[in-house]
Amino acid sequence: MSLDTSNNASGDIQRLKNASFDIKQMVKNETDLDITADLRKKLHRAKKEKLEITTKHNAELASYESQIAKLRSEVEKGEALRQSLEYDLAVARKEAGLGRRAAEERLTEAHRIQEKLCAQNAELQGKASEMEKAFQTSQQKWKEECRRFECDLEERDNIIQNCNQKYDLLMKEKSRLEKTVQGFPGGAVVKNPPANSGDTDSSPGPGRSPMLRSN
């Protein structure tokens, strides 16, 4: 009976030593909190960059829409002028009996203006097409940037979540070990070690739990 008790006590002391070592390792691992804070800062910066990109995209979108509206207005004006010239051309043909030469000159001028307007109309339509393509390209790039930022944010959220889960597990294990040491005869929790103890690893730092020691 005495031999079994001695063996159990020896085994418990060894486990307490192992627990003390594990707790020291957990305290060292609390530096993971600094990594979590850094990741949160990066996450905030990424969100800010995403907001800036969105604002820039909206400004470019508004500018493109304004330019497209102006081009469409010019096209409509050109079309109205073309119809007006066609009407003038019809009138000129009716008045051909009053002055064939004048009508022919007016007809020539009308053709020239019509060709000029057609060229301008084609140019404006080409510009409108280019603006549409540029707008679509910009929108596609913006969507790709959004997808990339969303993936980055999701990855950083996962890293933070994993860090928090590991930290919770470590704190639970630490609490369990502290209760085990407190409940064992001869075990004690050193909450306020002497200032000149020289054991800096066991001294509680800011935001850290006290270290455990075994006799």
Side-chain angles (χ1 to χ4, degrees), residues 147-211:
R147 284 196 294 269
R148 184 175 65 82
F149 271 100
E150 287 174 357
C151 290
D152 290 342
L153 291 175
E154 183 177 357
E155 181 179 354
R156 292 172 185 177
D157 284 338
N158 290 334
I159 292 173
I160 292 174
Q161 185 177 4
N162 290 334
C163 289
N164 289 335
Q165 290 175 352
K166 290 180 180 179
Y167 178 75
D168 290 338
L169 290 175
L170 289 173
M171 293 305 295
K172 289 179 181 179
E173 182 65 15
K174 179 180 176 182
S175 176
R176 186 184 68 80
L177 291 173
E178 285 178 349
K179 291 179 180 178
T180 302
V181 172
Q182 289 175 357
F184 184 79
V189 178
V190 179
K191 293 185 177 179
N192 295 307
N196 59 354
S197 63
D199 189 0
T200 58
D201 289 339
S202 63
S203 300
R208 298 184 178 180
S209 302
M211 293 295 298

Side-chain angles (χ1 to χ4, degrees), residues 3 29 38 49 54 69 100 117 134-136 160 169 175 186 208:
L3 181 60
N29 289 336
D38 184 61
E49 291 175 357
T54 302
R100 184 177 183 85
L117 289 173
F135 168 73
Q136 292 177 359
I160 292 174
L169 290 175
S175 176
R208 298 184 178 180

